[in-house]
Amino acid sequence: MTDTPFPLPATQTVIKGARTYARDLLERVLTTFLQAGIAGIVVTQPLNGSMWYAAGAGGVGAALALLKGLVARLRSVTNSASLAKGV
């Protein structure tokens, strides 16, 4: 085996990192779907929605994502915006 000009991480580190990333990504995709759905319903239904209301719903979804990230940070001891354990 030859020495590389830069150190490579151990296989276990890569596998653990991939699992953590997959869990974090899955959580973010699911919560974004829920947040955008809730925002779309809350903004467009009572206002008989148009394009501008749909754009506002996107803003509400972003605000919910920010709120979730803040709650996750307050709840967790790690520097992560994820609610998943170990991320």
Side-chain angles (χ1 to χ4, degrees):
M1 184 165 240
T2 62
D3 289 330
T4 60
F6 53 91
L8 296 174
T11 305
Q12 186 62 26
T13 302
V14 172
I15 292 171
K16 184 178 179 184
R19 284 185 189 142
T20 301
Y21 175 77
R23 205 168 53 231
D24 186 28
L25 181 62
L26 178 64
E27 176 196 344
R28 288 171 192 262
V29 168
L30 292 176
T31 57
T32 300
F33 174 75
L34 291 172
Q35 290 161 349
I38 291 168
I41 292 168
V42 167
V43 173
T44 59
Q45 285 299 316
L47 302 174
N48 195 16
S50 71
M51 179 192 71
W52 294 109
Y53 294 131
V60 173
L64 289 173
L66 175 64
L67 181 64
K68 184 209 88 96
L70 293 173
V71 167
R73 179 63 183 111
L74 291 173
R75 183 179 153 262
S76 178
V77 294
T78 62
N79 291 322
S80 175
S82 176
L83 293 172
K85 290 184 178 185
V87 176

